[in-house]
Each structure stands twice: as C-alpha cells, then as structure tokens.
Amino acid sequence: MKKLIIASTSTVYGGTYLDYLLPELEKHFSSCKEILFIPYARPGGISHDGYTENVRLAFAKINKSVKGLHEFESQSFGTEAAIRNAEGIFTGGGNTFVLVNELYRNGVMEVLADVLNQGTPYLGTSAGSNITGLTMQTTNDMPIVYPPSFKTLGLLPFNLNPHYLDADAQSKHMGETRETRIKEFHEYNRTPVLGLREGSWLEVNGEEIVLKGNLSARLFRQDEMPTELETGSDLSWIK
Amino acid sequence: MKKLIIASTSTVYGGTYLDYLLPELEKHFSSCKEILFIPYARPGGISHDGYTENVRLAFAKINKSVKGLHEFESQSFGTEAAIRNAEGIFTGGGNTFVLVNELYRNGVMEVLADVLNQGTPYLGTSAGSNITGLTMQTTNDMPIVYPPSFKTLGLLPFNLNPHYLDADAQSKHMGETRETRIKEFHEYNRTPVLGLREGSWLEVNGEEIVLKGNLSARLFRQDEMPTELETGSDLSWIK
C-alpha cells in the first residue's frame, strides 16, 4: 500500500530545511531507523555528498540516520538493491531533468516505482515530488541535460506543478505566467495538473490522496477552467 | 553574411505586439516585400493561422505581407523550399519545446540554419530567439512535448535566456531564481549564457554582435561570476 508525502517545497519562507514537515515525517517514517536519500537533483549544483549531509542534519532532529543513494553506485551491492532494501526513501529537490536523467542512467526508475507501490514510505520535495506524477512535463526547471524520457514514477494518476505560483498582477514582466504554461501543456496532453503551493503537500495512503498544509491547491484540466481545491480535501477522484 | 535581430520579447510592458521594434524592422527587412513567419511555438496554444494573422497585422504597419510556414506543409512546394525561397524570416515566441519539436518534425532545422548563415534577414523573439543559440537548454519553458534533440540553430556561439528576470529581493517564493537555474546549467555545460532582459535585442551582422535597447544584459560563464554588459557593446568576443 502506497505511503507517500509529496511536498511542494523542502523549505518554506522564513523556515529551515524541512522544519515545517518534521512532525509529519516523524510519524510517516516511524517504522524506519535509516532513510535512503536520493540526491541526484543537486539544487544549485551542490555535490551528492554535500546534499546528503544537509539531509542528514535535518533527519537527525527526528533521530533518523541517512544514506545517500550515490554511495551505492560503485558498490557491488548497487543502487537497485539499495532501493529494494530501504526502510524509507526521500528524494530531494533541485533540477528535475538532472534527477530523471540520473534515475534512468542508474536504471532505478522502475525499481523505485515498484517499492513505492509496495509500501516503502516515501518523501518527495519539489523535483522529488514532480517525479511521482505521470511525467515530468510540468516541471519549472531548465532542460540542462537531455533525459532519455520524460516519463516518471506514475504513483499519482496526474501531474504536479510544485512551487505553484499565482500570477502577480503588479508585474511588468511579459514572460508567461505559470497558468499560461500549464494551459499550453494541455494543448498537447490530457493529464490533469495539480498546482501545489509552497507549504502544501499530498498525503497518499494506498489510493487515498489528501491535500495538507494551510493553502488550497489549483487543479488544471484540459478544456476546463482551473479550480481551487481546499486543504483537507480528498483528491483521489482526479484522473 | 548573417543578418539577425534576436529579441528578448515581442512585446514590452504597456506596448503592443512588436511595436517597439518596428522602426528597426523596417530597416532590417528593407529588401523584403514578404516575410515567412514560423508560428510553431504557439504561445498560449493559439492556432498557427491565428498566430500568423496577429503577425500579419503587425507587419502590415511597415507594409510587409506575411505567409505562415505551416501553409506549406501540405503543399508539394514544401516547408524546406519555402524557407529556401524566403526573402525574410520571423520566428515568434511561445513554447520552445514545441517549436524545436516542430522544426525537427518538418525536417527544417538544418535548412533554416543554412539560409540564415547565408544572409536571409531574420527576426526572432523569445522562443524564436532561443533557437539561434547552440542549444535550447536555457529556455524558461515547460517541457510539454519531448523533442528529438535540444540542439538548435547555432547562429550564435553561446546560449540565450530571453525574458531574463532579476531576482526579486522582496519575494517570499522559494523556487529557484533565474540566476540559480543558469548556474545549475553550468554544472553540466560550458556554453556561455546571455540573459537578455525584455526590451533588449542583439543585432547580428556577419560575425558582429551588438547589444541594443535601453538595458544591460547579464553574461554567465562557467566557474565565473556573472557580469553586466552595457547596451551598445560588441559581444562578438563571447564564446
């Protein structure tokens, strides 16, 4: 049975890394002593070791140890086995193209989907949340590497837009708003898209999907007007 | 000899479509009665016909007629011949992934590079500017379709980031700034990136590249601090 926390962001304004989620994570990962961290998205170009160290410091606050998936790349044990054996898994944010490319390069996209469908507790933030949807095609990130496919884990029957940002009516910038970009996505794709604002997350238990945090989320469907979904609502009907 | 105007945006705040550029375009396209318009980027999902009509209205103000490249797709004449025979070419903005995908699907990426290198006058705005760089990897757009390659026309020895946006110090949004995204690009690529603010454009004559408009542009190079380049400066040294 799936057991996922899918968060828009790791860090809310004025907060520290993961702090707003720690009470949730303590419950979510209650069965785990050690978390396997997937550092591949490398925010700001940070090294895998450096990123893993940041995550280690955050999880130490709830008494979890952390191993980075990259540590298994050179071992006979291997990344696939590391994922199969993990008690709990966290994929952090950064660049979604880099993350997806590395998951394919290491041949672990399928096994990751497999263990998460079977119930390994999972946390995703930002890019790590993006990959839980059907495709990564509603990411905000730059295509700085060319992945073999945009297909992702498909743990949700829709796509996500993390860090969802409402249009700023005061702005003089003429670039596309987030809403316009998602509308363009729907010219070519039927997949619903959930715009998840910073501070919001999805709690997934089996087929149940509930919106958490203080804010509403914005749902975009092909040929329909976007709608606001209130926090606490059941989203398992979206497909 | 290349003869290009490469603009950050088609429309500046408070203006109408292409109006701020029309005096330049009148000179730039002085040898052309008809402009071939490439509508493939489809901003906001507009149809090829609708987009071409908007461009027709703008170019009518400087007495140019306009044909859309899509009009040749079903003709024996073909898109490749249309590009070879064009007096002048304009590629409009929209989604860069869609634009690049359509250029490859129609097999015209190479012939377009060819005629532009040989001197057919060209205007690009936004996505239509993005494709003049070495790759489309510093676009701001969503990957709503999966193009066969990120490689683009290579008319410039660097990449562009159109609609370049400075970080807003007041913002409480935790998503990456444009500068952070370009820094991440440089973790994987050596290609210099020019952040072109709205209202700026490059004027390319042969190997000469000059920054035009009222604003400075921001140059990003791997392992270096970004620098500001003043309007009017020669940028042909960047590679």
Side-chain angles (χ1 to χ4, degrees), chain A residues 25-75:
Chain A
L25 297 182
E26 198 159 14
K27 288 182 277 174
H28 185 65
F29 288 123
S30 62
S31 65
C32 318
K33 284 187 177 164
E34 185 175 272
I35 305 295
L36 180 68
F37 175 59
I38 303 183
Y40 291 156
R42 300 184 59 203
I46 191 172
S47 69
H48 292 156
D49 281 341
Y51 198 9
T52 304
E53 191 52 34
N54 292 346
V55 169
R56 193 169 279 133
L57 292 173
F59 273 90
K61 295 176 188 164
I62 53 169
N63 298 309
K64 311 289 177 195
S65 64
V66 169
K67 280 235 163 165
L69 182 60
H70 65 294
E71 299 169 30
F72 297 91
E73 282 179 22
S74 57
Q75 293 184 21

Side-chain angles (χ1 to χ4, degrees), chain B residues 7 10 22 47 53 72 78 96 168 172 187 200 229:
Chain B
S10 61
L22 284 179
S47 70
E53 192 52 36
F72 298 92
T96 311
D168 173 4
K172 296 181 175 177
E187 290 287 325
S200 291
L229 306 174

Side-chain angles (χ1 to χ4, degrees), chain A residues 11 42 44 98 137 139-144 146-148 163 165 173-175 181 183-184 187-189 198, chain B residues 42 44 98 137 139-144 146-148 150 163 165 173-175 181 183-184 187-189 198:
Chain A
T11 313
R42 300 184 59 203
V98 173
Q137 291 181 272
T139 176
N140 311 308
D141 297 333
M142 261 186 196
I144 62 177
Y146 184 74
H163 298 284
L165 195 58
H173 189 68
M174 302 297 287
R181 296 186 190 283
K183 184 174 171 245
E184 290 176 353
E187 290 288 325
Y188 297 89
N189 305 275
E198 293 178 348
Chain B
R42 300 184 59 205
V98 173
Q137 291 181 272
T139 177
N140 310 308
D141 296 334
M142 260 186 197
I144 62 177
Y146 185 75
F150 287 160
H163 299 283
L165 196 58
H173 189 68
M174 303 297 287
R181 295 186 190 284
K183 183 173 171 246
E184 289 176 352
E187 290 287 325
Y188 298 89
N189 306 275
E198 293 180 348

